[in-house]
Each structure stands twice: as C-alpha cells, then as structure tokens.
Amino acid sequence: SLTDKLELTFKRLRGQGKITESNIDDALRDVRLGLLEADVHLKVVRSFLDAVKAKAMGKEVLLSLTPEQQFIGVVRDELVELLGGDYQELDLKTAPPVVIMLVGLQGSGKTTTLAKLARYLKNEKKRTPYLVPADIYRPAAIEQLKILAKELDLPVYDSNPETSPVTICRQALDEAKKKFCDVLLIDTAGRLHIDEELMAELSAIKAAVNPHQILFVADSMTGQDAVNQALGFDGKLGVSGVILTKLDGDSRGGAALSIRQMVGKPILFSGVGEKLDAFEPFYPDRLASRILG
Amino acid sequence: IFQNRQWDEKSLDEMEESLIMADVGVKATDKLMQTLRRQKPADGEDLGQEMSAKLQTAMVDMLRGSVTAPKLAPLSARPWVILFLGVNGVGKTTTIGKLAAQHRNDGKKVLLVAGDTFRAAASEQLDAWGKRAGVDVVKHKAGADPSAVVFDGMQAAKSRNVDVLLIDTAGRLHTKVHLIEELKKIRRVIAREQPGAPHETLLVLDATTGQNGLQQARVFKESTDISGIVLTKLDGTAKGGVIISIQEELGVPVQYIGVGEDVEDLQPFDAESFVQALFE
Ligand SMILES: Nc1nc2c(ncn2[C@@H]2O[C@H](COP(=O)(O)OP(=O)(O)OP(=O)(O)O)[C@@H](O)[C@H]2O)c(=O)[nH]1
Ligand SMILES: Nc1nc2c(ncn2[C@@H]2O[C@H](COP(=O)(O)OP(=O)(O)OP(=O)(O)O)[C@@H](O)[C@H]2O)c(=O)[nH]1
Ligand SMILES: [Mg+2]
Ligand SMILES: [Mg+2]
C-alpha cells in the first residue's frame, strides 16, 4: 500500500542522515506511483503533488522525529481537503416538488441508485418521492425501475417507451404535483459524454423540468477516463453533485479525486452494494484511507 | 499525433503519458518504455513517427506474445456452451444479445439462458434481446436458484438440438466470496450435464475500468478459469489499456470488443487496430 511504501522510503531516507528537501522528492515519487495505481488522473496527480510538496517542505516534516508520520499526515489532509473536507448534505431547499435528475455513463448504477436515493429520502428525510423512468432505450429499463419502486412501495410514472423522455418528464412532474409528492426523481438512460444527440436530450429535459439537482453517477472503478466523463457532463449539462457507486469492491477509487477536482461539486453519496439499503453519505476521510491503503 | 518529432526525452515523456492515460498502468508502461528506449537509434536523428511505430509494435508483441493457444476449435462440440461472467454493469447481457444475433445470422441454432435471477428485470432484459436476435430464452421466475435455470438450459439445449448455448449470469464483484462460489457451482452443473463444457468462459470487462480490471481478471481466472475476455464500451473515450497487463500476466486473450449498444456492435478483437486506436 502507499502508506507501507512511504514508511519504507522514510526508513531508508533516515538511514542516510537527516531528511532534506531533495529526498522529500523520493517520498513524492512514491505518492505519484501510489496515486496512479489508484487510478487518479495523471493531471490531477501533478497538481496534487505540487500541493503536497509545498506543505511537506515545512519544518513540521523536515525537523520531526517521525517525518513519515508527518508526511503521511500531509498527504491524508490534502486528499481529504481535495475530496471536499467533511461529508455534505444533499440540498433540497427549493419549492416542492424538488426535481432531481440522475445522469451518467452506461452501467454506472443510475437506476439502482435512484431507487436507493428514493428509499433514503423517504426513510431518513421523511420525503414523498415520485420516481420517473425516462430511459426508453435500454430493454426493460422502465420495468427495472417499476420493480424497484414496487419493492419500496413508492409511486412510479407509467412511462411509455414510445414517448420522448422530455414528454415523460413533463407529464410525470404534473402527476407528482397532483399526488402532492415533494421530490421528483428522474432516471435517465446511460450515455457517452461524446454522444451529441443524447447529451442534447439531457439539456432538453433540464430545460423542461428545471432540476434542482443534476447528480452524476460514476462507477468507482473508473480509470483515467473519469476526467473526460466529468468534464463532458459538467461542460455540456452542468452537474450539481456526484454519486460514486460500487464502493463495496476493491478498486482504490482514485476516480473520486479526478471527478471532484474537475467538477468542483460535492460527492454526496456512496453506493456500497446491490441491495437498496446499500447507500450512505460519502465520507472524504474514508476514501482517503482507501487510497492510502 | 507523434508525427515528425525528434527521438528526445520530451517525446518519450509524452508517449509515456499517453500510455498512462490509456489505463495501461504504471508497471506495463515502464516495461514498454524500457523496450522502446533500448531501440533508440545511435544517432538519435529519427523522426517521432518511427518511435510511435516501434512503441505500437512493442505493444502488439506484448498482446500477441502472451496469448495461450485456444484449447478447442470454436463450435467443435454441440451444443457449444459459452458462459458469461463479470462485475456489475459491464455489458454481459447486451453482449450475449449481440453474439446470439451473429450466430443466428450464420445459420446456427442458438439458445439463451437467463442465469441472472437476482437483479430487477434481468430476465426481461435478456428476453427482449432474445426477441431482437430471433432466438429462444430459458428463464425462471425472479429469485430462482441460478443453477436450476442453468440446468434447465443445458437440458433444453440437448433436447432442442442447439448449436450454441449462451449463459448469462448476474453481475458480481470479485470480492464477494459467496457469489464466486455460486459461479463455481454453475460451472459444475454445466460440466456435469456436458463433459468439456463450458467450452468458453468469457469475462466481460468495461473499457472505462482502471487498474481494478487486472484484479478482476486475476480473481475470475483463478476461480472460474476464464478462457477469454470481451472488452466493452470501446466506442467511448476510454482506451481499455488494462487488457495489456491482463494478457501479459494471465495469458487470457481478448476475443471480442463491444463498440456500441446496438445488436451489430460486436467485433472480433484485433491487436493492431486496438493499439492504433489507443493512440488516437
Ligand atoms: N456491487 C454493487 N453493485 C451495484 C451498485 N450500484 C449498482 N450496482 C449494480 O450495477 C449494475 C448496473 O446497475 P444499473 O442500475 O442497471 O445501472 P445503470 O446506470 O442504470 O445502467 P444503464 O441504464 O444501462 O446505463 C446492476 O447489477 C446493479 O445491481 C453498488 O453500489 N454496488
Ligand atoms: N456504449 C456502449 N454501451 C454498452 C456496450 N455494451 C453494453 N453497453 C451498455 O451498458 C449498459 C449495461 O449493459 P448490461 O448488458 O445490462 O450489463 P450487465 O453486465 O449485464 O449488467 P448486470 O447484469 O447488471 O451486471 C447498458 O446500457 C448497455 O446498453 C458497448 O459496447 N458500448
Ligand atoms: Mg439504468
Ligand atoms: Mg446483465
């Protein structure tokens, strides 16, 4: 793990006498390697190393009796800060129904996550969610969300795959208002950030129902492409928050840093399993530990 | 993009960056860069175009050199059984739909098995693909034992004189021991019904996956002896470079690539095109 590597490096450095600025570079090399192996984007690694170097060159590290602890501390603090510091609440402060739209690439976990979010809002936040299946392309996508809604005993719009997603969302919003539901949760089809037509569809849905939150759902095992995805979705549509899925695996989750850096919006939740209760707030310090190993 | 450049440190650094950003990974990148640096011409006057060509050759060699020859000629047994597995959301069900259509268009009798009895609307999804490809699907109610569906699928394949049997399984993270055990049980059921089957065990891998792809391949290879890989979603901006380490370390070849969501979007893997696309 990165922590193990750093401890070895500092042991070796101490063997060579006192820690100096030039051999802090050895430790920074370990960090670079560790972050790249953890799937942090190359450009994000560079700016991260600059920030760490600036802090690590201070007396606290160089004159410390346990410089590796100080150095690891600096790296950890910098990771936590980059990831947003403390956990953040999902902002729901707008006139009901609060419209929340989930977007992202194919297979990232949007449909499952939407149901998890609905369950969370109902149980933890005492809200009355209304679910909208707006994926008319994937076979049985509408059916998938309907089954999950039924499992949660929540209302779900009876989407017709022959109608456009924009129309589905407009009609669903009217339905939600009639039922006095205070949150409208929209599931969209997975799409590539480079698919002009499908990205335009998201902009059209946004214009039609004016979402208070557009949450980018990203697979935590994503590699270097995370930056392209985040820039694409935020650039073409605007993202107000991020949800990371499949954190119950053993991927290091470096994509979280890349996405947070590029989008600059909070990572709000973590998907930690396939069941609908496998959902929790995103904790920056936990992901920092995961990356440090 | 590396046309008309000097064979200098700056160009070498940029090559290294491209490899990292293609998810080739640090270890495989270092190996490839070492190979490249050893081939630097003495007078250093060559153009970057040659440097790029040498790097691409090194990558194709790394891909081809590590592949172990297939044990059986495709479709040399009947039914020819292919088991699909992989982590959640990578494209297993969609890939089965595409391959089913290809075999049907080749005049083969194809049968699908809805072995994902866990996820909401999983068998409905495979059913829709079956209709699209014009082939039958064996399925049970949601929550059924996946081994039971697979058993029924094997029986149906024999009684209906099927040429190709494609078996879908639920997505599962390689870290979940009980789910890996479930896969092992499914393989035993298949082998018991037809010695030698499954003839192919394909790990479906998402091209957007980073270095965790190598760990997925290691665990699935060790527990279910995968014979090949399908690399999906190469129509995006991700390059799928992790398969270079996978092929090098485990010798498992990539058989197909997924390049879209439609039925015709499945192509056989070609190392040279893959490496060329990596640098585009
Ligand atoms: N292990 C694990 N699996 C997850 C998690 N979130 C979603 N999944 C699984 O990931 C797979 C894909 O989930 P979906 O909800 O269908 O993904 P999607 O983004 O809606 O897919 P498309 O609509 O095709 O783009 C399913 O097998 C889910 O059960 C998670 O946090 N952990
Ligand atoms: N762009 C693109 N999308 C793909 C490709 N292959 C599959 N998909 C999409 O990826 C999403 C997930 O595909 P599935 O076939 O449901 O994946 P799966 O592995 O069966 O998922 P689980 O059964 O939930 O684990 C769907 O939206 C597919 O249309 C591909 O090659 N390119
Ligand atoms: Mg979906
Ligand atoms: Mg599936």
Side-chain angles (χ1 to χ4, degrees):
Chain A
S1 78
L2 177 52
T3 305
D4 295 336
K5 278 206 204 94
L6 287 171
E7 288 179 346
L8 278 174
T9 296
F10 274 95
K11 212 176 203 170
R12 184 173 47 84
L13 291 180
R14 254 180 307 178
Q16 301 170 1
K18 107 180 192 333
I19 306 281
T20 64
E21 297 199 359
S22 74
N23 48 38
I24 283 286
D25 281 343
D26 279 4
L28 286 172
R29 238 184 316 262
D30 285 343
V31 176
R32 177 180 183 275
L33 193 55
L35 293 181
L36 287 177
E37 288 180 335
D39 290 325
V40 181
H41 193 271
L42 189 59
K43 296 194 165 47
V44 176
V45 171
R46 281 201 193 116
S47 58
F48 183 82
L49 289 177
D50 289 343
V52 167
K53 182 166 186 164
K55 298 209 167 86
M57 290 306 194
K59 290 205 184 62
E60 293 77 18
V61 178
L62 298 180
L63 302 183
S64 166
L65 288 174
T66 55
E68 71 274 21
Q69 298 301 337
Q70 295 290 344
F71 187 84
I72 291 171
V74 169
V75 175
R76 171 182 294 279
D77 291 348
E78 202 55 35
L79 283 172
V80 171
E81 191 182 331
L82 177 45
L83 289 168
D86 202 353
Y87 92 93
Q88 285 189 255
E89 283 280 338
L90 173 68
D91 181 301
L92 299 171
K93 298 197 200 68
T94 192
V98 182
V99 179
I100 301 175
M101 187 169 137
L102 261 56
V103 301
L105 271 78
Q106 292 90 345
S108 63
K110 298 173 292 301
T111 306
T112 311
T113 300
L114 194 82
K116 289 178 179 180
L117 180 59
R119 180 184 174 282
Y120 168 84
L121 290 174
K122 174 183 172 195
N123 296 352
E124 307 295 323
K125 302 293 175 187
K126 309 295 175 237
R127 296 285 179 145
T128 50
Y130 187 85
L131 280 67
V132 188
D135 177 356
I136 59 169
Y137 310 104
R138 168 172 155 155
I142 296 170
E143 188 61 15
Q144 185 183 0
L145 191 62
K146 280 185 174 172
I147 290 171
L148 297 177
K150 185 150 181 276
E151 206 175 307
L152 296 173
D153 193 23
L154 287 172
V156 56
Y157 187 72
D158 184 11
S159 304
N160 176 354
E162 308 284 305
T163 26
S164 78
V166 173
T167 305
I168 287 171
C169 290
R170 271 208 199 96
Q171 291 176 346
L173 182 56
D174 290 340
E175 277 306 300
K177 286 177 180 163
K178 285 199 198 116
K179 288 182 173 351
F180 301 106
C181 289
D182 63 6
V183 183
L184 189 80
L185 294 170
I186 303 174
D187 183 24
T188 65
R191 68 204 66 212
L192 298 175
H193 46 291
I194 52 172
D195 187 324
E196 305 262 344
E197 203 174 317
L198 285 182
M199 290 307 290
E201 175 186 279
L202 287 181
S203 300
I205 297 175
K206 181 182 183 183
V209 294
N210 191 18
H212 184 62
Q213 291 275 2
I214 297 180
L215 304 180
F216 179 60
V217 178
D219 193 324
S220 60
M221 57 180 107
T222 308
Q224 298 285 304
D225 197 47
V227 158
N228 301 329
Q229 297 175 15
L231 285 177
F233 273 82
D234 195 33
K236 293 204 178 100
L237 181 69
V239 166
S240 60
V242 180
I243 300 181
L244 268 186
T245 62
K246 308 178 200 171
L247 279 166
D248 45 318
D250 61 1
S251 71
R252 307 280 294 291
L257 264 116
S258 310
I259 294 172
R260 174 75 216 219
Q261 173 102 330
M262 291 300 144
V263 173
K265 304 278 171 28
I267 302 175
L268 294 161
F269 297 105
S270 304
V272 293
E274 300 184 68
K275 302 220 173 76
L276 297 183
D277 58 0
F279 189 69
E280 56 190 41
F282 175 78
Y283 299 108
D285 59 346
R286 282 195 204 167
L287 200 98
S289 300
R290 194 180 176 113
I291 291 183
L292 283 167
Chain B
I1 46 155
F2 287 103
Q3 309 247 350
N4 302 314
R5 301 272 293 280
Q6 288 304 327
W7 196 304
D8 57 12
E9 272 311 306
K10 181 164 179 296
S11 298
L12 285 168
D13 284 347
E14 287 184 20
M15 295 241 138
E16 187 167 0
E17 272 189 29
S18 306
L19 293 177
I20 296 284
M21 294 205 290
D23 286 319
V24 171
V26 178
K27 288 201 175 67
T29 297
D30 284 347
K31 229 174 183 165
L32 286 165
M33 293 309 296
Q34 274 184 32
T35 305
L36 184 63
R37 283 194 160 93
R38 276 202 298 271
Q39 297 182 46
K40 180 173 179 175
D43 58 7
E45 246 204 60
D46 292 80
L47 301 178
Q49 203 168 350
E50 189 178 334
M51 186 189 329
S52 170
K54 284 194 190 295
L55 179 59
Q56 290 194 30
T57 304
M59 290 168 76
V60 172
D61 289 346
M62 199 179 243
L63 279 169
R64 289 214 179 114
S66 51
V67 173
T68 46
K71 305 189 184 71
L72 299 162
L75 303 187
S76 57
R78 208 153 170 274
W80 183 259
V81 181
I82 308 181
L83 177 67
F84 290 80
L85 42 87
V87 304
N88 308 72
V90 295
K92 300 175 290 302
T93 306
T94 306
T95 298
I96 289 173
K98 296 171 180 175
L99 193 60
Q102 279 190 13
H103 281 301
R104 178 152 190 290
N105 293 342
D106 286 345
K108 301 279 180 285
K109 186 156 204 307
V110 183
L111 183 63
L112 309 184
V113 180
D116 179 355
T117 55
F118 171 78
R119 206 208 69 216
S123 50
E124 287 88 331
Q125 184 187 6
L126 188 67
D127 215 27
W129 273 106
K131 289 200 172 59
R132 204 177 274 189
V135 306
D136 288 340
V137 181
V138 170
K139 54 189 189 286
H140 285 196
K141 281 211 198 76
D145 174 8
S147 293
V149 194
V150 171
F151 175 82
D152 278 2
M154 294 297 294
Q155 298 296 331
K158 287 185 242 172
S159 65
R160 297 185 209 179
N161 254 322
V162 161
D163 294 314
V164 184
L165 186 69
L166 304 178
I167 304 176
D168 194 10
T169 60
R172 69 203 64 220
L173 294 182
H174 50 292
T175 47
K176 311 222 157 150
V177 179
H178 65 296
L179 294 181
I180 297 292
E181 287 306 310
E182 180 182 86
L183 265 187
K184 288 184 183 174
K185 181 174 177 209
I186 287 173
R187 290 190 91 238
R188 285 197 297 273
V189 167
I190 295 171
R192 215 176 43 224
E193 295 310 307
Q194 182 179 352
H199 305 99
E200 294 184 65
T201 300
L202 298 182
L203 171 66
V204 183
L205 202 53
D206 187 326
T208 65
T209 304
Q211 297 311 300
N212 194 247
L214 178 55
Q215 187 56 15
Q216 291 174 26
R218 283 179 185 140
V219 173
F220 281 113
K221 171 123 194 10
E222 208 258 321
S223 54
T224 60
D225 194 23
I226 55 178
S227 62
I229 288 171
V230 180
L231 184 64
T232 61
K233 309 181 195 173
L234 271 176
D235 47 315
T237 49
K239 302 295 182 183
V242 70
I243 59 122
I244 294 178
S245 309
I246 292 175
Q247 287 207 190
E248 209 231 353
E249 182 179 311
L250 303 172
V252 183
V254 177
Q255 306 281 32
Y256 305 99
I257 58 173
V259 291
E261 302 189 71
D262 289 333
V263 69
E264 64 271 6
D265 294 329
L266 188 71
Q267 300 170 1
F269 177 74
D270 174 63
E272 265 149 5
S273 328
F274 174 78
V275 169
Q276 266 185 337
L278 199 137
F279 285 105
E280 273 159 17

